[in-house]
Amino acid sequence: MNESNDTIDTIIVGGGISGLVVAHRLTRDFPGHRLVVLEKEERPGGVISSFSDNGYLAEWGPHGFLDNCAESRDILRETGLDKECVAASLATFVRYVCINGRLMMIPQSPLKILRAPLIPFGDKIRVLGDLFKKPLDGEPTVAKWAAYRFGRALLPYVDAVFTGTYAGDYNELRIDAVMPGVRELEHRHGSVIRGVIAKARAARKTKRRGEKLTMPAMTSFPGGMQRLPERLAEPLIAAGGLHYGQRVIGLERQENGWAVQTKTERLVAANLVLALPVNGALPLLATVDPALAALSVPEARLATVVFGFADAQLPPGFGYLIPEVEQRFTLGTLFSSNMFPNRAPAGHIVFETLVGGRRHPERVELDDKTLIERSLADVRGLLTLPPTPSYAKVLRPFGAIPQLEGGYRDLLRRRNELVARQRGLFICGFGWEGIGLNDMIKTACALAGRVGSGTAQSQDQAEVKKVYF
């Protein structure tokens, strides 16, 4: 068994996007900083993985990220990926929500949403009731909070948003966990609407002359999202700093740092970065704080059914989402060949239909034939398609989406207390500060700065995120 105790400044456990960005920034911003990334799989990226077969390109994990995060744009520029990426603007590509068995187009601007016939006029007026309602106490569920602030007519659309983002159940997700910035505006200004107006006014004051506010774009790469972690991994591999097939089985706090044990290596360093999904990190952290051994967060698993058709056309846009009230088999469908080029062979379309999620985990366990048949029957009720697909494939999940439900905020508090007590310990990854790629990249960039400068990890101010369908 190999042991190293005098050549490493930082051990990073996890070669997903969080760990790779931390390593990239440490290498770039702190020349001479010595690090090792330990990844249990034989590839980088974690849940980010692209699928290619017979000219069809799909994703096991995220399909892209919005270009409205400065840190993500910086990573693209620093790696040269800004010259490779492809983008689809939200201003051009609409989305739909299935309501009463029909696809309703959702505009992406607030004014157009108000004008659209999505809910009755009286219910639109009811939305203004937000101006006169005190914030709910405690940590209400998303469903309870949205119904209280804006009325029950909007609930199917709210459900669709969180189905699309978390594959979750908005009767379980907590508003303080999934939208802490909005909740902070609500408490500070007495209503969400007043808070959003105040934030917009402040933004106008800081806007540069001639600067235009534009809709963000969904960003990916010609060969799929897997290109992002692979590019970040390239210099680490060249330097011998990325070790594949190294599942960490133990941690130990030492007088001057941290010891990390795998089946074949024992490494010692001053700093330890756990860049793992929440449920992957907690068992390891239990060796430092035994009280964490009994903790976990619920997860949602998704199966993706990829369909290809010849001589067919999809509606314009990104795809559609389905609220639970519709009682359909699938959660929604992404129009992959609409979003980005070269997703299907010439003369073909491809779309990806999602099944399972927090509410229906049993559907992910169905055999491929049943998943394909039931998914296609569900899609045919909403789209006009030729009689037979030219391609059908089930992509089984190898990861799960952390659900930010009851107890999540307390878990974050305990994480923050732990890193404050344990010098040199840093924690980030899938689910710790959200589940979006931009969330993880932003957190990883900030954390890398703290690791390199020798300052403790702290929780950033809650960000107000816009909602895009």
Side-chain angles (χ1 to χ4, degrees), residues 21-349:
V21 169
V22 171
H24 165 79
R25 276 298 175 85
L26 282 173
T27 302
R28 173 184 179 273
D29 297 341
F30 301 91
H33 193 96
R34 298 156 298 183
L35 62 87
V36 168
V37 179
L38 302 176
E39 167 54 44
K40 67 177 182 178
E41 305 294 343
E42 297 295 338
R43 63 167 190 86
V47 297
I48 303 175
S49 184
S50 303
F51 169 82
S52 181
D53 182 38
N54 290 320
Y56 292 99
L57 180 61
E59 302 285 356
W60 263 289
H63 287 71
F65 56 98
L66 294 178
D67 65 354
N68 58 358
C69 173
E71 289 82 358
S72 296
R73 294 195 300 268
D74 290 342
I75 292 295
L76 292 181
R77 186 181 67 255
E78 293 160 10
T79 57
L81 288 175
D82 58 331
K83 299 177 178 62
E84 299 182 23
C85 63
V86 292
S89 172
L90 296 189
T92 303
F93 292 90
V94 297
R95 280 197 178 178
Y96 306 85
V97 173
C98 179
I99 300 293
N100 297 323
R102 296 173 54 244
L103 296 185
M104 303 285 289
M105 186 179 73
I106 309 297
Q108 294 291 2
S109 73
L111 184 58
K112 289 181 179 178
I113 287 177
L114 288 174
R115 291 174 177 170
L118 301 177
I119 59 175
F121 180 78
D123 289 311
K124 293 182 180 180
I125 298 299
R126 166 66 184 81
V127 171
L128 297 177
D130 165 77
L131 293 166
F132 311 103
K133 288 186 172 290
K134 296 179 179 180
L136 286 173
D137 294 331
E139 296 184 8
T141 66
V142 170
K144 181 179 180 180
W145 177 86
Y148 171 77
R149 296 228 66 91
F150 304 114
R152 298 191 63 83
L154 284 182
L155 288 184
Y157 300 97
V158 176
D159 188 4
V161 167
F162 289 94
T163 294
T165 306
Y166 290 88
D169 181 352
Y170 75 159
N171 290 299
E172 299 293 340
L173 293 168
R174 304 296 164 141
I175 190 65
D176 296 77
V178 298
M179 299 187 77
V182 170
R183 190 76 157 129
E184 184 176 306
L185 281 185
E186 177 192 13
H187 282 289
R188 187 188 308 162
H189 298 277
S191 93
V192 175
I193 294 175
R194 276 197 290 268
V196 169
I197 291 173
K199 185 174 177 62
R201 286 174 176 168
R204 283 197 295 270
K205 291 180 180 179
T206 60
K207 187 179 70 170
R208 295 189 298 268
R209 177 174 293 183
E211 181 182 8
K212 293 183 179 180
L213 298 177
T214 59
M215 294 287 287
M218 184 68 74
T219 303
S220 184
F221 306 92
M225 281 299 298
Q226 191 168 312
R227 176 60 177 147
L228 176 59
E230 286 178 346
R231 177 67 185 91
L232 287 165
E234 286 171 4
L236 295 172
I237 294 172
L242 178 52
H243 299 188
Y244 288 132
Q246 295 295 329
R247 181 186 293 273
V248 173
I249 59 177
L251 308 176
E252 182 184 349
R253 184 74 171 96
Q254 297 193 334
E255 183 177 353
N256 295 317
W258 294 87
V260 175
Q261 183 70 59
T262 74
K263 287 187 176 180
T264 60
E265 291 184 282
R266 177 180 169 85
L267 304 175
V268 179
N271 302 308
L272 170 62
V273 177
L274 281 188
L276 297 172
V278 174
N279 285 345
L282 287 172
L284 293 175
L285 290 171
T287 62
V288 182
D289 182 353
L292 297 176
L295 299 182
S296 65
V297 299
E299 295 179 325
R301 298 173 71 241
L302 284 173
T304 300
V305 188
V306 183
F307 289 107
F309 282 87
D311 301 318
Q313 187 172 358
L314 292 165
F318 280 157
Y320 62 83
L321 296 167
I322 304 176
E324 179 68 9
V325 69
E326 292 293 307
Q327 293 294 295
R328 302 183 76 95
F329 180 72
T330 66
L331 301 178
T333 292
L334 297 169
F335 300 160
S336 310
S337 51
N338 279 6
M339 295 169 64
F340 302 116
N342 303 317
R343 259 42 182 185
H348 292 68
I349 63 167

